[in-house]
Amino acid sequence: MTNSFDDIPFFDDDGSPDEPAPRKAPAPAAAPASGGGLGIAARAMAARDQNRTVVDYLSGLNPEQREAVETLDGPVLVLAGAGTGKTRVLTTRIAHILATGRAYPSQILAVTFTNKAAREMKERVGVLVGGAVEGMPWMGTFHSVGVKLLRRHAELAGLRSDFTILDTDDVVRLIKQLIQAEGLDDKRWPAKQFAGMIDGWKNKGLTPPDIAEGDARAFANGRGRELYAAYQARLRTLNACDFGDLLLHPIAIFRKNPDLLKEYHAKFRYILVDEYQDTNTAQYMWLRLLAQRPKDIPQNVCCVGDDDQSIYGWRGAEVDNILRFEKDFLGAKVIKLERNYRSTEHILGAAGHLIAHNEGRLGKTLFTDRVDPDDEKVQVHAAWDSEEEARAVGEEIERLQRGGSDGRKHALNDMAILVRASFQMREFEDRFVTLGLNYRVIGGPRFYERLEIRDAMAYFRLVCQPSDDLAFERIVNTPKRGLGDTTVRYLHDYARARDIPMLAAASDIIETDELKPKARKALFDVIQSFRNWQQKLETTSHMELAEQILEESGYTDMWKADKSAEGPGRLDNLKELVRSMEAFESMRGFLEHVSLVMDADKNENLDAVSIMTLHSAKGLEFDTVFLPGWEEGLFPHQRALDEGGRSGLEEERRLAYVGLTRAKHRCHIWFVSNRRIHGLWQSTMPSRFLDELPAAHVDVAASDSNYGGYGGRGGYGQSRFDKADPFSNTYSTPGWKRAQANKTDATRDNWGTRSGHAVERIGYGESGPRGRTIEGELVARSTSETPSQFSVGDRVFHIKFGNGNIASIEGNKLTIEFDRAGQKRVLDGFVERV
DNA sequence: CGAAGGTCAATTTTT
DNA sequence: TTGACCTTCG
């Protein structure tokens, strides 16, 4: 550990933006490149002190990385391919800035997208510079930095600095109210959809007057713009912000207050941006305001990213931002990191060849020095259907676990299954449950999004922030207090009419006889409780108070009385919530944290296979990666193709690239010939991406099953992965029999553990993966075709289910009573008369 | 208020 | 086919 960083001056940054004047000259000869007009003795001493450090943190960097770290003056774009040491460059660069005394910790603005990335950066900088990282208040996500700016200058945006941050759920409920208030049908105009539109506009940096006429008219009978404006007005009265505002308000503030912006120009001596290819327009505008400076202030901005890993276009990310960097920041130095430290030559070769099919790239080719004849090529496997796919993947995992071809036993933690869409996960989960194989799903319900956590948080919010009407409405009748819709609506209208918060309105109303005695009493009790808690805010510790609130409100009792299976888990979660407050000084501090940071921790002690989407795999790496579902329509996804056209396809291809480059040593790709889509079995074609892989680095694995192969549908889209074996009988194979046998006991267990077999869920969404599938072109096509050539009672053969009789016909969909498989619904194209 | 039944839609997800 | 969400009835 180095000591040299202990001397870095530390300035508390919570005051005004005024900083001690930055040091005019860089500190003595720290970086080999930068001299300085200092005395020889001073230089020598500094060099002596610094050398140790320099060696410590610069050694081990390759020349490009080192250049990216040491080029401190002027704009720098680091194009960092997958596994090229991007984070290392970023963190070392920060360390270097500090070590050379170019800036105080508080003068470095370092932004990331996710909290996870921010946390990781903090940790790693911490390792390099020790405690100095504590003085880096401007290291965080775009949003957390946005909050910080906005809390300081809230009044310039018409807010108080104690504004609340609403999450998606709150936003939707609020919009729903607005839609109803406008007298619109909230079914015809779903609040969720409008929330999505607003989000999209905000991603583009558009305020109500800015949105295109067409967009403005597309919702709410042409009143989209008014609705958006009404929403913003409502946020202001609520003293609240949504996520988009955390960027848009600062942008507006900077534009309106050039002097203030100038202070920040002077303040942030160095700006660093991670994952630049993921920035959306609003973030881009925000960044440009801060980073593009008048000539007299240096533009020390460093963006790190990889255009080949831009997979969030659908969410507003503009790859263009990274492609345009050199134009935005004239004189920018572009440094490419192409030396890969993660993967084998085969994996890199496969990934590189694939991604080369994209146009409009900045163009990087990853390479590695490691050449090991034992490294296996990327394996492509065919399976008959998704069940078979899951079975085979499970077998391969068990094989590796027992000891792979190299005889080494592999940990489940080193393996991951990366799917295109979350519905694919289910098949693997089912299979692993029957095998008793531990797995963890990344992307399950997030802690903070759970019902009970949101309820509890609403109580805390309302205590801290009595004008939080959304919180009020959420919990006023939770647990049930006999304050139903009628009462709440009345309170709402009363509050709106007088422009006061609902809690205050409630206080007024209980003084009157407007409510029925029962409701009045109930409301009175609620208000008394809140008054009580608010007083205790100053006197009681926040954890103690939190417990009291949950007890006295009857909220914990509500779950104790709940006899469903979920009750105990929810109580545990509530305990966990209170426990997690320990790390914070106050309830307010805690609320701030939760509104922005929402991760669940994964249990590192558990050895388990990870199952996640390709999107959530970005930034991770695994020894062995399984990539199932490489079929046309699923991957590339039909919808991406329909909606995104050429660029949609390219984004899908980047997703494939991300998937491949997650693998360190082994990568297994799968495709199936039949997949169940909306309950119907459909024949599928191998993904075009398979054809884009280079033969030199890929093995088409002799399928471990006899019946892997593509039952093609005519001459269209022939691929070298097509196999002329579409009609092999599957019923006699052991795999089929086992799959059938397993069907009965492979029940699904969303939450967890069954018979000594651990399952973990980490991530988003209240209810796990939804059963989504592709709206296949094939379905659409055959639907509009001529009526079925079959009639009820016909004896038919189906490739998967065997013989059966047609029970009923709906267009091209047949319901067939199969002899062995029972009743199934299938498309008529897949059966033939016998 | 809670259970039951009908309807609609069905990539990817962070803050 | 599954599931989420909403309306309706007891």
Side-chain angles (χ1 to χ4, degrees):
Chain A
M1 185 58 92
T2 67
N3 291 321
S4 326
F5 292 98
D6 297 345
D7 306 328
I8 292 168
F10 177 117
F11 287 86
D12 185 334
D13 198 67
D14 282 331
S16 78
D18 307 326
E19 287 287 331
R23 296 183 206 180
K24 280 281 175 336
S34 72
L38 288 153
I40 289 172
R43 260 163 90 173
M45 279 173 67
R48 187 203 58 206
D49 286 352
Q50 297 283 346
N51 265 341
R52 198 182 50 211
T53 321
V54 166
V55 168
D56 281 352
Y57 70 79
L58 289 181
S59 69
L61 294 180
N62 67 37
E64 294 76 31
Q65 290 176 329
R66 189 158 177 154
E67 188 181 16
V69 166
E70 292 184 330
T71 310
L72 294 183
D73 295 313
V76 177
L77 175 64
V78 181
L79 290 171
T84 55
K86 177 197 70 166
T87 310
R88 180 161 188 202
V89 163
L90 221 38
T91 51
T92 311
R93 186 179 163 94
I94 291 171
H96 191 54
I97 292 167
L98 296 174
T100 51
R102 293 286 197 105
Y104 300 129
S106 64
Q107 293 173 319
I108 298 174
L109 171 66
V111 282
T112 62
F113 273 81
T114 62
N115 293 302
K116 198 175 151 218
R119 208 182 313 125
E120 191 184 332
M121 195 192 289
K122 257 190 188 140
E123 274 166 21
R124 291 180 62 171
V125 172
V127 168
L128 289 172
V129 306
V133 71
E134 303 300 327
M136 295 195 62
W138 300 100
M139 182 189 289
T141 61
F142 277 98
H143 295 268
S144 66
V145 172
V147 176
K148 198 163 183 119
L149 290 169
L150 196 51
R151 294 246 185 254
R152 286 183 163 197
H153 309 293
E155 72 290 345
L156 297 176
L159 293 166
R160 281 178 282 119
S161 79
D162 62 346
F163 61 83
T164 356
I165 301 161
L166 304 185
D167 65 22
T168 322
D169 201 77
D170 293 322
V171 167
V172 170
R173 285 190 302 140
L174 199 154
I175 290 174
K176 188 165 189 170
Q177 289 177 4
L178 287 169
I179 288 172
Q180 287 167 343
E182 291 275 315
L184 294 162
D185 180 0
D186 63 326
K187 282 214 201 83
R188 175 135 186 251
W189 307 108
K192 221 171 172 176
Q193 188 191 339
F194 194 62
M197 291 173 73
I198 290 182
D199 195 49
W201 289 328
K202 290 191 172 179
N203 284 160
K204 290 192 167 71
L206 303 173
T207 60
D210 304 325
I211 58 178
E213 198 61 24
D215 285 352
R217 300 242 168 273
F219 196 86
N221 289 333
R223 278 188 284 166
R225 190 196 307 277
E226 289 73 20
L227 205 55
Y228 180 13
Y231 168 71
Q232 288 305 123
R234 188 84 179 86
L235 285 182
R236 192 153 302 183
T237 39
L238 284 171
N239 189 34
C241 271
D242 62 16
F243 283 122
D245 287 343
L246 299 179
L247 294 169
L248 291 196
H249 282 319
I251 290 172
I253 289 171
F254 286 147
R255 285 190 176 153
K256 268 185 261 164
N257 304 276
D259 291 348
L260 183 70
L261 178 61
K262 216 170 169 186
E263 287 177 37
Y264 281 99
H265 281 165
K267 173 183 177 58
F268 295 136
R269 306 210 71 205
Y270 288 90
I271 297 179
L272 297 96
V273 185
D274 191 17
E275 304 279 16
Y276 191 56
Q277 78 283 351
D278 287 339
T279 44
N280 62 35
T281 305
Q283 286 156 338
Y284 173 75
M285 286 161 46
W286 184 93
L287 185 71
R288 274 184 65 161
L289 278 166
L290 285 167
Q292 285 189 329
R293 286 117 182 249
K295 289 210 175 61
D296 52 319
I297 306 179
Q299 295 196 106
N300 296 327
V301 56
C302 173
C303 294
V304 180
D306 181 358
D307 51 318
D308 291 333
Q309 291 189 70
S310 159
I311 54 174
Y312 286 110
W314 51 274
R315 197 167 83 179
E318 293 280 347
V319 211
D320 219 39
N321 294 345
I322 196 168
L323 303 177
R324 212 173 40 217
F325 187 86
E326 289 173 89
K327 288 186 191 111
D328 290 334
F329 298 97
L330 292 176
K333 185 158 197 172
V334 179
I335 299 165
K336 288 185 187 178
L337 304 182
E338 298 172 288
R339 179 182 296 269
N340 176 288
Y341 296 98
R342 178 185 294 156
S343 310
T344 67
E345 52 165 341
H346 296 307
I347 290 163
L348 294 180
H353 196 265
L354 176 91
I355 198 66
H357 290 78
N358 272 3
E359 289 169 5
R361 308 171 55 215
L362 291 169
K364 295 181 307 314
T365 309
L366 298 181
F367 67 93
T368 179
D369 287 342
R370 60 166 279 153
V371 175
D372 184 342
D374 289 341
D375 283 343
E376 72 178 38
K377 294 183 177 180
V378 172
Q379 308 280 317
V380 175
H381 308 256
W384 174 249
D385 64 9
S386 48
E387 220 168 59
E388 162 67 12
E389 179 184 55
R391 187 187 65 78
V393 168
E395 276 174 13
E396 179 64 21
I397 289 171
E398 290 190 318
R399 195 175 309 142
L400 288 165
Q401 202 182 13
R402 284 194 304 268
S405 47
D406 53 359
R408 222 186 83 221
K409 288 188 198 300
H410 297 270
L412 296 179
N413 275 338
D414 294 332
M415 304 181 217
I417 297 168
L418 311 182
V419 298
R420 175 62 182 82
S422 50
F423 77 87
Q424 293 172 264
M425 293 178 180
R426 183 190 184 140
E427 205 96 49
F428 291 98
E429 290 192 64
D430 284 352
R431 186 65 202 158
F432 295 168
V433 168
T434 53
L435 289 174
L437 201 62
N438 293 343
Y439 67 89
R440 71 168 62 88
V441 171
I442 316 274
R446 280 198 208 168
F447 185 70
Y448 82 104
E449 273 177 350
R450 292 178 188 176
L451 180 78
E452 66 277 16
I453 301 302
R454 296 185 51 84
D455 285 342
M457 296 297 294
Y459 273 100
F460 303 157
R461 272 162 60 183
L462 194 54
V463 170
C464 293
Q465 163 83 48
S467 65
D468 192 334
D469 285 1
L470 287 159
F472 178 89
E473 285 182 62
R474 184 174 182 104
I475 49 80
V476 67
N477 199 31
T478 308
K480 301 278 184 286
R481 303 186 171 93
L483 297 166
D485 276 356
T486 329
T487 315
V488 174
R489 173 129 323 202
Y490 182 78
L491 280 170
H492 185 265
D493 292 346
Y494 184 95
R496 296 284 73 232
R498 286 165 188 72
D499 206 20
I500 56 172
M502 287 174 75
L503 190 62
S507 302
D508 285 2
I509 287 170
I510 51 165
E511 303 298 326
T512 72
D513 290 318
E514 313 243 17
L515 296 175
K516 294 198 184 111
K518 215 176 144 197
R520 187 174 159 186
K521 172 72 169 66
L523 196 55
F524 178 79
D525 289 346
V526 173
I527 292 166
Q528 280 304 310
S529 298
F530 273 98
R531 284 181 183 151
N532 180 20
W533 296 325
Q534 274 157 19
Q535 278 170 7
K536 287 188 174 166
L537 207 48
E538 310 305 325
T539 57
T540 317
S541 90
H542 60 292
M543 287 176 72
E544 214 171 300
L545 179 58
E547 269 174 29
Q548 278 181 26
I549 292 172
L550 295 178
E551 282 299 324
E552 291 171 16
S553 63
Y555 192 72
T556 43
D557 288 341
M558 179 179 108
W559 289 116
K560 280 179 192 156
D562 183 277
K563 53 218 169 292
S564 75
E566 288 170 348
R570 301 207 192 252
L571 286 167
D572 280 350
N573 288 338
L574 289 171
K575 278 193 200 123
E576 177 59 34
L577 178 72
V578 175
R579 219 176 303 137
S580 67
M581 298 174 78
E582 194 173 9
F584 297 85
E585 283 176 12
S586 67
M587 194 171 272
R588 281 206 173 81
F590 176 70
L591 290 176
E592 172 94 8
H593 170 83
V594 173
S595 58
L596 288 172
V597 178
M598 325 145 162
D599 311 289
D601 295 323
K602 81 166 181 181
N603 178 3
E604 303 280 358
N605 297 323
L606 177 69
D607 187 37
V609 184
S610 297
I611 305 177
M612 70 187 92
T613 62
L614 286 159
H615 282 92
S616 34
K618 195 169 85 158
L620 305 177
E621 59 178 29
F622 298 91
D623 205 50
T624 304
V625 166
F626 295 92
L627 302 170
W630 282 43
E631 297 120 38
E632 283 296 301
L634 176 57
F635 193 36
H637 201 281
Q638 191 61 48
R639 200 129 161 197
L641 263 26
D642 291 345
E643 287 164 21
R646 165 105 205 161
S647 68
L649 173 64
E650 297 212 340
E651 185 155 312
E652 295 286 293
R653 193 177 279 118
R654 290 193 290 267
L655 203 47
Y657 176 80
V658 167
L660 287 164
T661 53
R662 297 311 95 200
K664 291 201 261 189
H665 291 116
R666 274 166 299 280
C667 183
H668 294 251
I669 301 173
W670 290 82
F671 69 93
V672 305
S673 312
N674 294 280
R675 198 172 279 280
R676 197 159 58 173
I677 288 158
H678 301 177
L680 295 173
W681 283 97
Q682 282 209 220
S683 179
T684 49
M685 287 189 295
S687 170
R688 68 190 75 184
F689 297 151
L690 291 168
D691 293 322
E692 295 173 359
L693 297 173
H697 297 292
V698 175
D699 270 339
V700 179
S703 72
D704 348 342
S705 60
N706 302 319
Y707 42 90
Y710 161 57
R713 287 166 58 88
Y716 173 63
Q718 284 297 318
S719 146
R720 65 187 154 93
F721 290 91
D722 292 353
K723 288 182 192 153
D725 184 24
F727 291 105
S728 64
N729 185 343
T730 65
Y731 298 96
S732 52
T733 64
W736 174 248
K737 282 183 181 155
R738 248 168 85 191
Q740 287 297 303
N742 286 332
K743 238 179 195 165
T744 33
D745 54 8
T747 35
R748 184 166 166 76
D749 181 354
N750 256 348
W751 290 99
T753 1
R754 81 170 16 222
S755 55
H757 155 239
V759 176
E760 208 183 349
R761 290 194 167 267
I762 301 167
Y764 62 82
E766 176 72 15
S767 41
R770 283 179 287 177
R772 290 188 177 165
T773 40
I774 39 181
E775 185 58 62
E777 204 187 321
L778 297 173
V779 173
R781 200 190 298 150
S782 41
T783 319
S784 57
E785 271 166 19
T786 47
S788 176
Q789 46 167 328
F790 298 97
S791 35
V792 174
D794 282 0
R795 184 76 177 158
V796 293
F797 173 77
H798 183 273
I799 202 170
K800 178 173 168 77
F801 300 120
N803 291 317
N805 297 314
I806 296 182
S808 65
I809 300 175
E810 268 175 75
N812 61 329
K813 293 167 195 162
L814 310 176
T815 304
I816 300 173
E817 194 66 48
F818 286 104
D819 302 349
R820 312 181 64 146
Q823 197 179 69
K824 301 279 173 194
R825 295 206 333 147
V826 299
L827 285 181
D828 60 3
F830 302 111
V831 298
E832 55 187 45
R833 242 187 294 256
V834 286

